[in-house]
Amino acid sequence: MAVEEKLALEGVVEESLPNLMFRVALDNGHSVLAHMAGRMRRARIRVNPGDRVRVEVSPYDLTRARLIYRLK
């Protein structure tokens, strides 16, 4: 069985929640709940409300995402 590809989308962090969770407003108008990827945690990258980010969204649950990159 093939592994499903993740959707990479961009958006803006609306609010910061406990346990490194973030509410992200995507460019297409949707809002997702995103958690920070482990690679970003190890590099100690700070993410604040108002930052532009890239997220990976699973095709199975379009309301949850994984924060993979903080854009400049």
Side-chain angles (χ1 to χ4, degrees):
M1 204 169 173
V3 176
E4 291 291 329
E5 290 294 319
K6 306 253 187 304
L7 305 171
L9 303 170
E10 291 185 6
V12 178
V13 176
E14 289 181 329
E15 71 176 305
S16 177
L17 302 169
N19 297 331
L20 293 176
M21 300 285 277
F22 300 92
R23 174 89 44 210
V24 178
L26 300 176
D27 292 342
N28 61 8
H30 289 83
S31 181
V32 295
L33 185 64
H35 67 276
M36 190 174 288
R39 190 178 70 179
M40 289 183 69
R41 281 188 211 158
R42 271 185 279 139
R44 291 194 174 95
I45 295 175
R46 304 263 188 237
V47 177
N48 296 316
D51 289 347
R52 282 199 62 74
V53 293
R54 185 174 299 139
V55 296
E56 276 185 349
V57 180
S58 168
Y60 297 110
D61 188 2
L62 298 174
T63 62
R64 311 275 271 158
R66 199 170 87 120
L67 228 97
I68 57 171
Y69 192 76
R70 180 176 162 250
L71 300 169
K72 303 278 182 227

